[in-house]
Amino acid sequence: MKPFIVLRDLTKDYNGKVRGLDGLCLEIYPGEWVAVMGPSGSGKTTLLNMIAAMDQPTAGSIYVNGVDLLSLTEEERARFRREKAGLIFQQFHLIPYLTTIENVMLAQYFHSMADREEAAHALQEVGLGERMRHYPSELSGGEQQRVCIARALINQPKIILADEPTGNLDAENEKTVMGIFHRLHDAGHTLLFVTHDPQIGIQADRTIELEHGRIVPALSTKGPVLSSFG
Ligand SMILES: Nc1ncnc2c1ncn2[C@@H]1O[C@H](COP(=O)(O)OP(=O)(O)OP(=O)(O)O)[C@@H](O)[C@H]1O
Ligand SMILES: [Mg+2]
């Protein structure tokens, strides 16, 4: 099987000073669920941003499904983000003056055409069928996170990138959200998932640990050892 995501010697320097990633090499296979762990500042969010074409590396290469992301124009990168990558951010990034369903429909709008029924279906999927007319400020943290998941899933992205999606959730909401990720995994989506919680990380096919922008070799576990280390 060919890897779906290939990162080669990926380095990211911020302002020419702070090193976010340091020669990182990683291969992720289609349908694989990878948990990304590591201390604060180790480069987890930077890594997700690179794969989502949100930001560009200082050096190295990124291939997704055989496409060299760094060869794309700004417009093509925007299309890649809309069509291929579903992002669930560390912060919720919901628009405060739009209702739950409008927030989800906004993601559809950027993709193609807003479709209220489809947005409603996505919200039902994450258990928020009853909260569609509420504003973000009227929702709990777990509910807001589930709106973000519905929004990320609306375009059926191949890759789902989630930055600590359970970080602010209580046990019950965490269970609901993890159930959604298990369903997505079963449906064949490729998942990259940042977490600080080993109990969450162990649910993935594989865990990688970052430290100072590099992968710590010892912790590649469970399934086959698929990554090469930088
Ligand atoms: N926009 C930026 N400008 C300058 N430095 C940045 C920027 N974004 C991240 N960094 C730095 O790059 C390093 C990696 O940051 P990153 O956000 O990827 O860490 P993280 O592993 O996601 O941490 P956390 O667990 O706290 O979210 C850190 O030292 C951080 O300060
Ligand atoms: Mg982060």
Side-chain angles (χ1 to χ4, degrees):
M1 202 189 335
K2 275 195 187 159
F4 187 52
I5 300 170
V6 178
L7 309 178
R8 289 262 174 270
D9 302 320
L10 208 59
T11 293
K12 173 68 182 178
D13 289 329
Y14 290 105
N15 314 320
K17 285 198 299 248
V18 182
R19 184 147 281 194
L21 292 176
D22 186 12
L24 182 141
C25 294
L26 178 65
E27 293 180 352
I28 297 173
Y29 283 77
E32 204 181 1
W33 177 355
V34 176
V36 182
M37 303 189 74
S40 182
S42 60
K44 304 181 298 296
T45 299
T46 304
L47 173 65
L48 258 52
N49 286 343
M50 296 292 142
I51 297 172
M54 300 270 289
D55 201 358
Q56 288 189 306
T58 312
S61 55
I62 310 172
Y63 289 86
V64 176
N65 206 10
V67 176
D68 176 1
L69 286 197
L70 303 182
S71 73
L72 303 182
T73 63
E74 191 47 50
E75 200 176 323
E76 289 165 336
R77 285 155 54 79
R79 178 190 291 190
F80 171 84
R81 283 194 294 271
R82 285 197 306 269
E83 295 182 353
K84 299 287 191 306
L87 276 154
I88 299 154
F89 297 97
Q90 206 164 5
Q91 286 89 25
F92 298 141
H93 294 305
L94 294 172
I95 312 287
Y97 51 85
L98 296 180
T99 63
T100 301
I101 192 161
E102 287 165 351
N103 262 287
V104 174
M105 289 171 75
L106 187 66
Q108 288 175 319
Y109 170 78
F110 285 121
H111 185 238
S112 52
M113 284 278 284
D115 179 337
R116 197 173 179 91
E117 240 168 70
E118 203 177 66
H121 179 73
L123 285 167
Q124 277 151 8
E125 285 273 293
V126 298
L128 287 176
E130 307 297 310
R131 313 293 271 182
M132 290 193 230
R133 290 167 199 281
H134 289 72
Y135 290 91
S137 62
E138 300 169 326
L139 301 174
S140 73
E143 288 166 344
Q144 290 183 57
Q145 188 56 288
R146 281 185 275 154
V147 179
C148 294
I149 295 174
R151 181 180 61 181
L153 299 182
I154 196 74
N155 302 326
Q156 290 295 320
K158 281 243 162 64
I159 313 166
I160 296 163
L161 301 158
D163 203 345
E164 267 199 89
T166 59
N168 304 311
L169 306 184
D170 59 35
E172 195 179 328
N173 275 308
E174 180 183 294
K175 224 170 128 195
T176 309
V177 165
M178 289 311 293
I180 297 166
F181 282 106
H182 277 284
R183 281 215 307 278
L184 292 168
H185 181 50
D186 292 345
H189 294 268
T190 303
L191 289 171
L192 226 82
F193 188 107
V194 173
T195 181
H196 281 114
D197 183 347
Q199 293 304 320
I200 300 270
I202 203 148
Q203 298 180 44
D205 296 325
R206 174 158 63 117
T207 299
I208 59 168
E209 178 154 3
L210 295 191
E211 212 174 86
H212 305 300
R214 295 171 149 265
I215 294 178
V216 181
L219 241 172
S220 192
T221 49
K222 234 172 155 181
V225 177
L226 298 168
S227 68
S228 52
F229 303 111

